[in-house]
Amino acid sequence: MRHFINTLAAAALTVTAAQAAPLVIEADTTLAGHHQGSIVIAADGVTLDCDGHMVQGDDTEAIGIDVRGHDVTLVRCTVDRFTENGIAARDVDRLTLNQVGASRTDIGVRIDRGEGHVIDRAYVTTSRQALWANDFRDSAFRGITADTMSGHGIVLHRAVDSELSDSLVLRAGGWGVVLWQGFRTTLRAVEVNEGANRGIYVGATAATRIEDCVTRWNGHNGIGLHRTTLATAVGNQSSGNGKRGINVSQSTTATLEGNATAANAEAGFGVWQSAVVQGAGNNSTDEAPLHLEGALRPDLGELGAAE
């Protein structure tokens, strides 16, 4: 994977805020000031360094930064007031986003297909969704903050061999994090607080791993595994949620190890119509330990509070 995060080509362009939108970029570029209107990255191997300046819309243009080339890097870019996406990439590979932000748009960052994508620190606020990524593989998203989304916080659809880590979702109007139809994908050290519905929802996946995540004060289940196969939840904490801390439904061969739940409204752990749910070292405090629906009982060991 090629990276252009810190070094720009000697022939890089300098752009002023006075240039009219849309700005089409085909070489490494540094913004010298705020830019009014859309930017299109139209070539492969390009770095756009916004140098902390804003790409500003007026609530009429659809996309703030539209990436159309492979091996593109965006650094220190903040995008505001575009109707569809702050940053968008479709059918490209190896997009790298470093220290980017988006606000007042429908989806802050949208990635549609491709492989080898990297997000390293992104902040999205006052939008409908922070990140929507679809049909991608071999990608790593870390350090994403989704603050006050009217819909879901982070949505990963058909993710393969990828990871979301060290991220925070606050006050989502829907679900905090959604992983749907993924394969061999990991959620690690993700925190979801005060969402209106589910904290972390993993559905129709195989070989998913949820590790060291925290879900607190969400309106529904803290962590939900639905129609999964070979899912593993390890070292997670789930407390104060509106229903169950960790719930497994219509799944098979799920492993829960070393998870801690506390003060969830209905139960710490829930199992519904799921075969072969096993694990050990799980703890439940100040709540009903287990809510079971269906004839198949899980083998989770003792669910008493940790001493």
Side-chain angles (χ1 to χ4, degrees):
M1 184 184 300
R2 295 192 289 167
H3 297 275
F4 304 90
I5 294 177
N6 296 314
T7 303
L8 299 179
L13 306 177
T14 299
V15 181
T16 66
Q19 289 181 284
L23 171 65
V24 178
I25 292 177
E26 297 180 327
D28 290 352
T29 301
T30 300
L31 295 185
H34 300 313
H35 176 77
Q36 188 71 37
S38 299
I39 294 176
V40 175
I41 311 294
D44 296 344
V46 169
T47 292
L48 171 62
D49 186 347
C50 296
D51 197 25
H53 298 300
M54 180 171 289
V55 178
Q56 183 72 52
D58 61 2
D59 297 320
T60 63
E61 295 161 293
I63 299 173
I65 301 176
D66 188 358
V67 178
R68 300 180 184 178
H70 302 291
D71 300 293
V72 168
T73 296
L74 305 181
V75 185
R76 296 180 291 176
C77 294
T78 302
V79 182
D80 180 54
R81 292 182 61 189
F82 289 88
T83 60
E84 293 183 8
N85 311 136
I87 298 168
R90 178 175 294 176
D91 294 319
V92 302
D93 296 327
R94 297 173 297 280
L95 171 68
T96 297
L97 306 180
N98 184 265
Q99 303 178 66
V100 301
S103 57
R104 294 188 290 182
T105 185
D106 187 56
I107 298 174
V109 177
R110 176 171 178 154
I111 298 173
D112 206 351
R113 296 179 289 277
E115 63 181 32
H117 304 303
V118 173
I119 300 176
D120 188 0
R121 285 173 291 173
Y123 179 80
V124 180
T125 185
T126 54
S127 298
R128 185 174 65 86
Q129 291 182 12
L131 169 65
W132 187 90
N134 171 61
D135 198 10
F136 62 97
R137 64 185 306 126
D138 300 317
S139 298
F141 304 147
R142 56 183 172 265
I144 299 172
T145 299
D147 187 353
T148 315
M149 300 296 107
S150 61
H152 306 324
I154 296 171
V155 178
L156 308 178
H157 182 231
R158 298 178 68 185
V160 177
D161 293 325
S162 296
E163 179 173 295
L164 171 69
S165 65
D166 301 296
S167 295
L168 174 65
V169 178
L170 297 172
R171 296 176 292 275
W175 299 346
V177 175
V178 180
L179 174 59
W180 182 255
Q181 293 184 343
F183 180 54
R184 290 196 307 253
T185 289
T186 297
L187 306 180
R188 190 189 317 276
V190 175
E191 184 171 337
V192 181
N193 295 334
E194 300 180 79
N197 204 298
R198 290 163 171 81
I200 294 173
Y201 178 80
V202 176
T205 66
T208 298
R209 186 175 180 89
I210 304 97
E211 180 176 345
D212 296 333
C213 295
V214 176
T215 55
R216 295 179 293 194
W217 316 307
N218 298 287
H220 203 276
N221 298 327
I223 298 173
L225 306 177
H226 181 62
R227 296 184 180 176
T228 63
T229 301
L230 295 170
T232 301
V234 177
N236 303 289
Q237 301 177 45
S238 190
S239 60
N241 298 289
K243 294 200 74 175
R244 305 167 191 178
I246 299 176
N247 191 62
V248 182
S249 59
Q250 295 183 322
S251 295
T252 185
T253 320
T255 300
L256 310 182
E257 294 183 347
N259 302 288
T261 66
N264 294 286
E266 187 174 90
F269 297 85
V271 177
W272 175 52
Q273 295 182 356
S274 296
V276 195
V277 179
Q278 59 192 359
N282 301 291
N283 296 304
S284 171
T285 305
D286 296 330
E287 62 195 358
L290 177 65
H291 184 97
L292 179 65
E293 297 178 72
L296 296 170
R297 296 193 63 85
D299 182 12
L300 298 176
E302 295 294 329
L303 294 176
E307 296 182 0

